[in-house]
Amino acid sequence: MMAAPARLEPPRPPEDTAFPPPPEWDVLQFDGSDRALTDTLLAPLRGVGRTWWTLFVLSALGTLLFAFTITYTIAKGIGTWGNNIPVAWAFAITNFVWWIGIGHAGTFISAFLLLLNQHWRASINRVAEAMTIFALMNAGLFPILHLGRPWFFYWLIPYPATMGVWPNFKSALPWDIAAVTTYLTVSILFWYAGLVPDLATARDHAASTFRRRVYGIFALGWRGSNTAWRQHRIAMVLLAGLATPLVVSVHSVVSLDFSIAQLPGWHSTIFPPYFVVGAIYSGFAMVLLLILPLRWAYGLEHIITKRHLDAMAKLTLVMALLLTYAYVVELFVSWYSQDPSERFTYFVERPRGAYAVFYWIMITCNVIVPQIFWWKRFRTSVGVLFAAGAAILIGMWLERFIIIVTSLDRSFLASSWHLYRPTWVDFGLLFGSLGQFGLLFLLFVRFVPFVAISEVKRLRHDLKANDGRELGLPHA
Amino acid sequence: MMSDRPRSHRDLALSRREFIHLAGASLALAGLDGCTRMPAEHILPYVDNRPELTPGVGEYYATAMSLDGVATGLIVESHSGRPTKIEGNPEHPASLGASGPLEQASLLQLYDPDRARFARSQSTPTSWEVLAAQLAPAALRPRVGARGAGLHVLIEPTSSLLDEELLARVIESHPDAHIYMYAPLVGDRGAHGIVTHYDISAADVIVALDADFLSSGPFHLRYARQFADKRRLAQPTDAMNRLYTIESGFTPTGAAADHRFAVRPSDVAGIARSLQSALNGGTAGPPWLAAMARDLRAHAGRSVVIAGEHQSNSVRALADSINDAIGATSRITWRAPTPLIGEHVPVHSLTELVAALRTRAVDTLIIVGGNPSYATPAPFDFSVLLRSVPNSGYVGLYENETARDVRWFVPMSHYLESWGDTRAYDGTVSIVQPLVNPLYRSTTSAEVYAALAGMGLVGSYDLLRSSWKRRGNAEAAWGDALQRGFVAGTQFARAESEGRGSTVEGPGSRVAATSNPIDVLFVADPKVHDGSFANNGWLQELPAPLTQLTWNNAALLSPTTARRLGVGNGVHIALTSNARHIELPALIVPGHADDTVTVHFGYGRAGAESLARGVGANAYDLWPSTGVRFLSDVAITVSSKTSALALAQTQETMEVREPVRHATLDEYRAAPSRVGRRPGRALSLYPEIPASERSATQWAMTIDLATCIGCGGCVVACQAENNIPIVGASEVRNAREMQWLRIDRYFAQRETEVEALLQPMLCQHCEKAPCEYVCPVQATTHSNDGLNEMVYNRCVGTRFCSNNCPYKVRRFNWFDYNKHLSDTEMMAKNPNVTVRERGVMEKCTFCVQRIREAGIAAGREDRPLRGTDVRTACQQACPTNAIVFGSLNEPDSEMVRRREQPRSYAALDDLGTEPRVRYLARIRNTNSEIAGAKHDGGAR
């Protein structure tokens, strides 16, 4: 709780406006000057400790594994994976959907919450955005890799080809290309636009000439004038406006990869909202997994506070409930359809078939585990949050795996029923992609201000001006 | 005229005089071209086209393939001077246009890279010419004696008149020499005189007593056609024949049967006796026997009992007397001379050769064809005996087990590259003409006998021509024989109808003297036969009929027996008899006879054939003697070892959906439309194709499940025609087999009987194809004539099309399956079909290359293309004509007429895919007096 500050009396809002009650935890606890705040937030850029190096080596090894398995796959063929007919899609598409899903939380936090004036997002939104970009970079690789002839991947992109053939726009895969490239482009733009003032700060506080020059180049000559700030604000709102619909559209399009097919277990109209919810859900879990160690390692508990953890946990719980609803609707719709294949897939193959163990782990991780967030104690407990985040990520990966593989392995004709078994290459690609993600994220943390300095400072001024209350009023 | 100073362009102006000088000089200098001192090498353009030879267009030649000595007439398509596809010869009595898997796959055997290429003496390379000199009588006499007593020749069963004539000359030259004839499946019986024929088209009721007459044995293609022709059911009210199959294993004849009774091999004789007594009013035997006997009697004169060729003499005698009693003798079944040689040359059995070997009376043993070191009963120890022969030689296709045991070896020519002759089961003579020059320095059996007979080095062609003349045939008839593939009028007349089978008592089978109740049944493998085809990748990868097993043999047993022994699929069991044992993985086959294990010959090879080596277990190791059909005193132990079986299909029942519709004849006649019920038209976002975009021919196919016997000929024909690669056992285990056409197999319990429901499944060419709209690059499109097209060079391999195909008929090139082919294997490829690279999808194209070729021919002849102009590879191979292809716009065509039967339906029709392939539901002409007649949950 802050001491009564010595300052000018702020203008009181009109009496009939109800103030929201003071929050239980402060969204930002910092007593020092702005300069001190800036120093604190730029501290990670000055050097890294042993933990960073350990994780970096691990991630580098993972990335090497990734590079090796990619090369091996392209050189030898998709036969090195465990796919077969009927299970022609397995790990690669699961990984693709999982990674893209993870990316959605970043955009949700930065763009969606920006439009809703949730300023508490300030300290975590850059991490979330970066997570989105790195997740998308991983995700974008898998659709190319899983092609039988990946060197022709560009045929899915509409360009005037000498063959005179365009992609088939009735298929969901060219839509995927459009969605993912749009998403990646807008995310990078949004992230970078928000980053520019902070790069300028880093430039101004740079220790060496070399760093000053590098940050200076990327800061694009930002001088911090009023006009610049105003234009910056407008640009961020516009980009947020562009990015927000993508939260819904991109994963809807990805889910259409499945629902336009006629397989039992895929052919369901609930897929777009179901997948979007699942995406944001898994993304929140990944954000938790990222910010908890960061906050511990860099001592940022007063910047990323229990308030943030509490909010994240509540959002996670909401998504879990929506996802549970989607599961129930799926079951109901399949039962109601009276189609024997649909009923078989949902009531026999998934809960009692060859992969039943994974189905029930998925249910536990996605439906049961997040229920602990009804209790405030667990919402702010770092250990519980971390474990729950990991469980949710595993559960969401398994959800995509179950959807893809258990619909393909036992579909209409029993003569083609066959199970799927992953090979070491499949696992190598999955863990390798985690390694690459970690590598990129660690580099990001090392070289780029991962807390939005300007936004946190603005939030601080907001709070000071309003007695520690975050009013959520729009900025001028 | 020119100076060195650079000039401006104005200075280069020529005067008219100078110009004429220059022009004239240039003209004169041009002529200097002709002053070359290079020698003239004249090339000639290919203007002298033979009118019948056009590059890219195939030529067709008739020949014949001899299997166990009996011919099936074939027409072979040849491109650029090499054979590329085998079809049946429609005019040949053994083929009637059809071909089985062995005939189709024999093409690959010609191009087998493991074939022997060089002659050798011990390990020194030599040539046939050198060895032939050593075989001349003058050279041999010092070793084998003045009358040739030490000379022994072991040959494969053959019906070749040429070979017989030459062997007779060998005997003239070496009067005391011995000729032996042996093949494991022909045994020692066929050499002697008389065989049994059937006219299945004259029978309304057939009882097959352990006789797989529809898919194995001589004339099986013919019998299958005759059988199917009486089951067409063009109208529900049409008559239909009835087949009872009594067998131990599950064969295509059992699958085609209206009633199938699983009986232990040791009980077959008892069943035959009971049947005979039942015909006389007795009541012994199982409950269905009396009803079956009543049926036979009710159709007297149009019913027949077929006893399998490998049955003992006593069982065959019983069948003969039953046939006498029901009036089948001479009307439906009769005797005729065997086509195998033995009339003009004394031919002895393998048992006699083994006896001679054991007494060391053999100095020179020449083995022509076959593989006796492998394919002989274990107690004979033939391999050891062979190694002790002072002068042994082998003429064979491969450096196999026999080649290892002999002193000198000569590669044998494949029938597709040899001249010769052979006879069909009914005696019809065919000339075997080569389609390509011998690929290697090989020889034929005729050339070997000619050398032995002292005729020196004479080529098979010359031998054949002179033999032809000597037989009194006209020169003009030679051309006719070559062209048509057979010599008319050479079939045998019937032999005496009272013949009681062969005069030689077959060794029969060991009668059970122990308390161990398990019988072991020895059967030829439907794919590798007796082992001769073990190195044939197409056949190894062909899912075995009914069991769907590839790249292995297994101990087949019934679910009950498996439970009793406590084994599951893949668990090894060891079969021991008389201190010999083999170990095989178990495979459970619903409907298999209880307390019986079926083992197939032909596996466990150990020669140079790289594909065959180490695949499966050698059943000959357990075989006690030639002609033994089953063993009863076998001990079984369960091993702790397991192997993963490469099964093309693991599910045994239809599970959730009902792709195969079936009914009994009574049910069908009572409610014809219920069998082929069609749901209402499903809503679809697919636009209707306007008539202006449809071409005149709209291709479609009808497959009759009542006549499909599951022989697999269509599968291998498709593989041969469309350049489909083989993938190997481990890939098959991972469901990556590449065949475009597969035969789905489901079992259904019918009270005490088990019915097999077979369904050839191929790309359905859906009018509203689910695969087309999901391909992101438009690699699969729809043609104007109704084909679902696959554009290989556009496919990027997302495999979305496979995911959306409910029939799962699309195949993906997971690896470069075609990358490491040998030169000769590449020659087997059909030049009209793309060879697909890694990463592209492929599927049945309705043989689009044949459709387009026919279209071009029609265009050239200025006439419209008719549906009947095109025969797909699967349709052409099918012995029962179960598959018919044609155009929907020809209502009088067979395909459309069949399609309009009440029992026609589309698979998974409620999905709204509108397939162009229609199936005719399987109808069983059941005997209502027999328990298994009801269909529990059949046509709903």
Side-chain angles (χ1 to χ4, degrees):
Chain A
M1 201 48 197
M2 285 167 68
R7 46 173 165 79
L8 293 172
E9 287 297 324
R12 288 245 167 236
E15 286 300 324
D16 55 345
T17 308
F19 285 162
E24 188 166 342
W25 305 281
D26 293 325
V27 73
L28 180 64
Q29 297 160 342
F30 197 81
D31 284 339
S33 63
D34 272 353
R35 173 78 191 228
L37 180 57
T38 309
D39 271 342
T40 313
L41 295 177
L42 283 178
L45 271 61
R46 292 200 192 99
V48 284
R50 225 179 16 217
T51 322
W52 189 95
W53 275 112
T54 318
L55 290 173
F56 182 77
V57 167
L58 283 172
S59 302
L61 287 173
T63 309
L64 278 174
L65 175 65
F66 199 38
F68 176 71
T69 44
I70 289 176
T71 314
Y72 189 61
T73 302
I74 296 182
K76 288 274 185 227
I78 307 294
T80 53
W81 297 357
N83 301 35
N84 54 42
I85 305 287
V87 187
W89 285 357
F91 267 42
I93 303 300
T94 307
N95 295 346
F96 164 65
V97 180
W98 188 64
W99 278 116
I100 294 214
I102 287 172
H104 277 59
T107 323
F108 185 89
I109 291 172
S110 10
F112 197 52
L113 292 183
L114 184 148
L115 290 181
L116 293 178
N117 292 313
Q118 300 299 305
H119 303 300
W120 55 268
R121 65 186 250 297
S123 51
I124 55 172
N125 77 72
R126 181 143 316 133
V127 168
E129 265 299 326
M131 175 195 82
T132 298
I133 291 167
F134 303 141
L136 283 181
M137 285 164 73
N138 267 341
L141 276 176
F142 283 104
I144 297 178
L145 274 181
H146 100 291
L147 296 181
R149 301 202 293 172
W151 43 93
F152 290 130
F153 75 93
Y154 59 91
W155 286 348
L156 276 93
I157 302 170
Y159 72 97
T162 49
M163 283 189 279
V165 191
W166 294 85
N168 172 18
F169 294 110
K170 290 193 205 120
S171 163
L173 300 187
W175 308 341
D176 262 354
I177 304 268
V180 174
T181 47
T182 311
Y183 195 32
L184 187 60
T185 313
V186 172
S187 294
I188 290 180
L189 283 175
F190 189 48
W191 176 76
Y192 191 59
L195 196 51
V196 164
D198 293 341
L199 288 174
T201 310
R203 173 199 62 198
D204 295 338
H205 292 261
S208 68
T209 318
F210 172 70
R211 279 174 178 250
R212 198 173 66 238
R213 292 224 172 106
V214 170
Y215 283 121
I217 292 169
F218 285 108
L220 303 180
W222 177 265
R223 289 282 166 243
S225 68
N226 273 344
T227 324
W229 278 115
R230 204 155 57 92
Q231 286 172 341
H232 184 257
R233 204 69 213 155
I234 294 169
M236 293 300 286
V237 169
L238 283 176
L239 281 168
L242 264 182
T244 302
L246 291 176
V247 173
V248 174
S249 69
V250 171
H251 228 244
S252 299
V253 165
V254 169
S255 77
L256 290 174
D257 279 349
F258 306 109
S259 50
I260 65 166
Q262 62 170 20
L263 277 162
W266 284 18
H267 195 54
S268 176
T269 49
I270 195 153
F271 265 40
Y274 164 35
F275 267 53
V276 170
V277 164
I280 300 172
Y281 185 42
S282 59
F284 280 152
M286 184 60 103
V287 169
L288 279 173
L289 245 57
L290 293 172
I291 62 176
L292 289 170
L294 276 179
R295 129 189 223 277
W296 164 80
Y298 292 105
L300 295 171
E301 287 89 343
H302 48 292
I303 310 278
I304 304 174
T305 65
K306 291 205 174 186
R307 172 75 197 290
H308 293 94
L309 302 184
D310 181 63
M312 291 292 300
K314 281 181 188 160
L315 280 168
T316 306
L317 179 60
V318 167
M319 292 301 152
L321 294 173
L322 286 172
L323 191 68
T324 309
Y325 171 71
Y327 286 163
V328 170
V329 166
E330 265 197 305
L331 285 169
F332 170 74
V333 166
S334 108
W335 170 81
Y336 188 70
S337 73
Q338 293 184 314
D339 183 276
S341 297
E342 285 281 332
R343 287 183 172 184
F344 177 77
T345 303
Y346 279 101
F347 293 99
V348 177
E349 176 62 11
R350 285 185 184 172
R352 293 183 278 160
Y355 301 102
V357 141
F358 301 111
Y359 178 80
W360 291 109
I361 294 177
M362 169 191 103
I363 296 288
T364 310
C365 291
N366 290 352
V367 174
I368 299 177
V369 159
Q371 301 305 316
I372 53 170
F373 292 147
W374 285 106
W375 288 273
K376 185 158 55 175
R377 252 181 54 225
F378 299 122
R379 287 203 294 271
T380 51
S381 152
V382 170
V384 169
L385 282 167
F386 193 85
I392 291 167
L393 278 174
I394 293 173
M396 285 310 296
W397 190 93
L398 283 175
E399 181 198 281
R400 274 52 170 267
F401 176 80
I402 294 283
I403 289 175
I404 292 174
V405 173
T406 59
S407 282
L408 286 171
D409 69 347
R410 291 182 174 162
S411 60
F412 298 104
L413 285 187
S415 58
S416 56
W417 284 9
H418 203 275
L419 297 180
Y420 165 79
R421 227 175 235 112
T423 62
W424 65 270
V425 184
D426 286 309
F427 282 115
L429 285 167
L430 172 58
F431 292 116
S433 69
L434 282 167
Q436 173 173 278
F437 180 77
L439 184 77
L440 290 169
F441 193 77
L442 286 167
L443 289 174
F444 160 71
V445 156
R446 173 74 179 86
F447 292 113
V448 175
F450 60 83
V451 175
I453 303 175
S454 58
E455 297 193 34
V456 168
K457 284 180 1 193
R458 180 183 296 119
L459 175 63
R460 188 157 171 266
H461 281 269
D462 252 357
L463 293 172
K464 272 203 219 164
N466 295 304
D467 269 338
R469 278 180 295 241
E470 178 207 338
L471 288 184
L473 297 172
H475 289 288
Chain B
M1 252 177 295
M2 308 291 177
S3 91
D4 292 338
R5 270 188 306 122
R7 299 166 174 242
S8 72
H9 68 279
R10 269 182 279 124
D11 291 337
L12 285 173
L14 290 173
S15 71
R16 270 204 285 270
R17 196 164 192 211
E18 288 163 359
F19 175 75
I20 303 281
H21 272 201
L22 274 176
S26 312
L27 194 60
L29 282 170
L32 286 178
D33 265 341
C35 300
T36 174
R37 296 232 195 94
M38 302 285 291
E41 292 176 357
H42 300 275
I43 62 171
L44 287 174
Y46 191 53
V47 292
D48 198 26
N49 281 337
R50 282 198 287 127
E52 67 269 23
L53 177 63
T54 309
V57 176
E59 295 190 303
Y60 298 85
Y61 296 92
T63 183
M65 170 167 141
S66 175
L67 187 69
D68 288 336
V70 179
T72 304
L74 305 172
I75 307 260
V76 183
E77 183 178 358
S78 162
H79 282 272
S80 308
R82 67 181 200 281
T84 54
K85 181 71 170 63
I86 290 179
E87 305 291 356
N89 184 343
E91 292 187 274
H92 193 270
S95 159
L96 300 179
S99 45
L102 298 182
E103 288 80 16
Q104 286 291 332
S106 62
L107 177 75
L108 193 64
Q109 199 179 38
L110 168 70
Y111 296 118
D112 193 337
D114 290 333
R115 268 182 67 195
R117 301 185 185 200
F118 308 106
R120 60 174 172 83
S121 175
Q122 298 285 38
S123 43
T124 318
T126 177
S127 71
W128 163 240
E129 290 76 22
V130 169
L131 289 167
Q134 293 171 8
L135 290 179
L140 267 187
R141 256 181 244 293
R143 321 186 52 121
V144 301
R147 289 180 57 81
L151 174 63
H152 301 257
V153 182
L154 171 61
I155 66 175
E156 278 188 297
T158 176
S159 51
S160 165
L161 294 164
L162 172 65
D163 283 8
E164 187 170 27
E165 194 185 307
L166 292 168
L167 282 169
R169 288 213 195 179
V170 170
I171 298 292
E172 274 174 43
S173 187
H174 301 275
D176 286 349
H178 287 79
I179 316 276
Y180 307 89
M181 189 156 82
Y182 169 73
L185 299 170
V186 174
D188 289 335
R189 177 187 292 140
H192 298 273
I194 303 291
V195 293
T196 313
H197 282 256
Y198 302 93
D199 179 8
I200 308 292
S201 59
D204 287 340
V205 176
I206 306 159
V207 172
L209 194 58
D210 196 14
D212 185 16
F213 71 100
L214 291 177
S215 78
S216 73
F219 262 16
H220 69 93
L221 294 169
R222 180 189 182 81
Y223 293 153
R225 172 71 56 81
Q226 291 177 333
F227 173 72
D229 279 341
K230 299 207 75 172
R231 294 172 84 84
R232 296 293 173 205
L233 270 189
Q235 300 297 329
T237 45
D238 281 358
M240 193 172 154
N241 59 8
R242 181 177 290 148
L243 171 64
Y244 299 92
T245 299
I246 300 162
E247 61 178 10
S248 314
F250 216 137
T251 65
T253 306
D258 300 297
H259 284 282
R260 178 187 168 275
F261 306 110
V263 152
R264 292 178 58 186
S266 49
D267 290 342
V268 169
I271 296 281
R273 273 192 296 275
S274 304
L275 180 60
Q276 188 181 46
S277 84
L279 280 169
N280 296 329
T283 49
W288 43 265
L289 197 64
M292 192 170 84
R294 272 195 294 277
D295 206 9
L296 284 170
R297 185 166 285 291
H299 290 88
R302 287 168 293 121
S303 54
V304 67
V305 172
I306 302 178
E309 301 181 299
H310 303 284
Q311 289 304 307
S312 65
N313 275 357
S314 47
V315 169
R316 292 158 69 83
L318 281 165
D320 287 341
S321 73
I322 295 172
N323 281 332
D324 285 342
I326 58 178
T329 309
S330 88
R331 216 169 295 162
I332 303 178
T333 172
W334 63 92
R335 298 271 190 276
T338 177
L340 298 180
I341 66 173
E343 197 187 334
H344 305 292
V345 175
V347 170
H348 304 273
S349 69
L350 180 73
T351 321
E352 296 170 71
L353 173 60
V354 170
L357 283 167
R358 287 196 179 128
T359 61
R360 306 209 167 266
V362 177
D363 171 79
T364 298
L365 174 57
I366 301 169
I367 304 174
V368 181
N371 191 1
S373 286
Y374 163 76
T376 44
F380 286 9
D381 261 335
F382 195 88
S383 178
V384 173
L385 290 173
L386 181 53
R387 267 183 252 143
S388 67
V389 174
N391 181 20
S392 55
Y394 177 53
V395 184
L397 282 173
Y398 301 97
E399 286 267 9
N400 53 22
E401 294 88 335
T402 308
R404 293 236 188 92
D405 293 337
V406 296
R407 307 214 180 253
W408 53 265
F409 170 81
V410 184
M412 186 147 100
S413 299
H414 191 266
Y415 79 91
L416 287 171
E417 54 184 13
S418 333
W419 283 102
D421 62 350
T422 178
R423 304 186 85 146
Y425 195 52
D426 66 354
T428 308
V429 173
S430 291
I431 304 291
V432 175
Q433 58 171 338
L435 271 94
V436 67
N437 271 332
L439 298 178
Y440 314 116
R441 313 279 303 271
S442 52
T443 185
T444 63
S445 53
E447 290 169 3
V448 172
Y449 307 147
L452 272 175
M455 294 165 70
L457 284 172
V458 191
S460 315
Y461 178 66
D462 297 320
L463 290 167
L464 190 58
R465 289 305 297 262
S466 46
S467 167
W468 178 264
K469 247 191 307 236
R470 240 174 292 122
R471 279 181 244 159
N473 293 307
E475 277 306 302
W478 171 258
D480 194 51
L482 285 188
Q483 201 170 17
R484 292 183 69 196
F486 64 97
V487 183
T490 46
Q491 58 267 45
F492 294 125
R494 297 184 179 194
E496 289 301 305
S497 56
E498 298 90 29
R500 274 283 175 270
S502 68
T503 53
V504 172
E505 176 69 29
S509 320
R510 292 240 200 108
V511 178
T514 72
S515 57
N516 187 322
I518 301 267
D519 289 347
V520 170
L521 182 68
F522 295 100
V523 184
D525 188 76
K527 303 184 300 163
V528 304
H529 202 51
D530 54 1
S532 352
F533 293 96
N535 205 40
N536 193 311
W538 290 348
L539 289 172
Q540 286 280 12
E541 201 151 288
L542 173 67
L546 281 305
T547 61
Q548 303 275 351
L549 180 61
T550 67
W551 292 101
N552 216 337
N553 61 347
L556 308 183
L557 40 140
S558 72
T560 318
T561 311
R563 261 195 301 278
R564 186 164 69 75
L565 293 171
V567 298
N569 278 352
V571 175
H572 281 224
I573 62 177
L575 305 166
T576 315
S577 163
N578 262 6
R580 297 191 185 274
H581 85 281
I582 60 171
E583 189 177 295
L584 290 162
L587 176 56
I588 299 172
V589 181
H592 196 275
D594 287 336
D595 298 323
T596 311
V597 171
T598 302
V599 295
H600 289 110
F601 289 134
Y603 293 87
R605 299 294 313 279
E609 294 101 312
S610 56
L611 287 182
R613 212 175 310 140
V615 172
N618 184 355
Y620 294 114
D621 281 345
L622 194 65
W623 207 30
S625 173
T626 56
V628 168
R629 174 75 170 157
F630 67 93
L631 273 181
S632 293
D633 55 350
V634 181
I636 292 199
T637 46
V638 179
S639 157
S640 54
K641 267 177 55 181
T642 56
S643 10
L645 293 172
L647 293 165
Q649 178 185 338
T650 45
Q651 293 306 117
E652 286 172 1
T653 57
M654 289 192 273
E655 303 282 342
V656 184
R657 297 232 170 206
E658 203 197 10
V660 180
R661 301 210 189 139
H662 47 92
T664 61
L665 187 59
D666 296 329
E667 286 167 4
Y668 180 46
R669 284 179 176 153
S673 51
R674 275 186 65 218
V675 173
R677 67 200 173 277
R678 286 168 196 85
R681 210 93 196 244
L683 288 176
S684 171
L685 291 172
Y686 255 104
E688 289 294 331
I689 303 174
S692 56
E693 280 180 35
R694 292 175 185 255
S695 70
T697 44
Q698 290 295 316
W699 302 105
M701 184 183 272
T702 314
I703 300 179
D704 187 355
L705 301 181
T707 50
C708 171
I709 59 177
C711 66
C714 53
V715 178
V716 186
C718 175
Q719 186 150 23
E721 171 74 16
N722 293 297
N723 300 338
I724 296 172
I726 57 169
V727 300
S730 60
E731 289 283 273
V732 174
R733 273 193 285 272
N734 200 12
R736 290 176 177 175
E737 62 273 7
M738 291 301 287
Q739 289 111 351
W740 294 357
L741 171 60
R742 62 175 195 259
I743 302 190
D744 289 347
R745 172 279 286 137
Y746 307 105
F747 293 110
Q749 188 73 40
R750 304 265 174 256
E751 296 183 40
T752 49
E753 298 175 41
V754 172
E755 186 185 357
L757 301 168
L758 303 171
Q759 183 174 40
M761 181 54 69
L762 64 164
C763 173
Q764 307 279 296
H765 293 269
C766 309
E767 288 176 2
K768 298 194 167 21
C771 58
E772 288 172 12
Y773 70 85
V774 293
C775 173
V777 290
Q778 285 194 61
T780 178
T781 49
H782 217 84
S783 74
N784 284 354
D785 48 1
L787 300 178
N788 174 280
E789 301 167 312
M790 189 63 218
V791 186
Y792 306 121
N793 54 353
R794 176 71 174 166
C795 175
V796 288
T798 59
R799 306 183 294 286
F800 203 166
C801 54
S802 162
N803 291 345
N804 216 22
C805 174
Y807 309 97
K808 296 287 182 253
V809 286
R810 287 176 156 269
R811 302 276 159 242
F812 185 68
N813 284 275
W814 301 97
F815 288 114
D816 270 315
Y817 294 126
N818 277 309
K819 200 171 187 184
H820 302 288
L821 293 178
S822 61
D823 289 341
T824 50
E825 282 168 299
M826 289 206 271
M827 289 164 75
K829 299 288 184 190
N830 181 349
N832 287 337
V833 176
T834 315
V835 174
R836 285 76 61 186
E837 73 159 339
R838 161 166 70 99
V840 301
M841 297 292 295
E842 53 184 61
K843 65 169 187 74
C844 163
T845 57
F846 271 171
C847 280
V848 65
Q849 66 279 4
R850 293 187 176 199
I851 296 174
R852 298 290 171 248
E853 202 176 341
I856 292 170
R860 254 202 329 264
E861 291 163 26
D862 217 5
R863 58 167 174 81
L865 176 62
R866 289 181 299 266
T868 44
D869 289 343
V870 178
R871 309 188 71 208
T872 57
C874 50
Q875 173 192 14
Q876 203 167 3
C878 179
T880 57
N881 271 353
I883 301 178
V884 187
F885 183 70
S887 170
L888 286 174
N889 289 338
E890 289 164 29
D892 293 330
S893 64
E894 178 68 14
M895 193 273 300
V896 177
R897 268 189 273 120
R898 286 196 192 183
R899 208 175 178 80
E900 281 165 3
Q901 289 181 25
R903 62 185 173 117
S904 112
Y905 72 97
L908 299 178
D909 49 5
D910 53 330
L911 295 178
T913 50
E914 310 284 337
R916 281 282 171 99
V917 174
R918 287 286 154 84
Y919 291 97
L920 299 180
R922 172 173 158 78
I923 305 291
R924 281 198 310 154
N925 183 6
T926 49
N927 183 339
S928 47
E929 292 176 18
I930 296 182
K934 286 288 185 311
H935 268 233
D936 35 349
R940 270 182 244 115

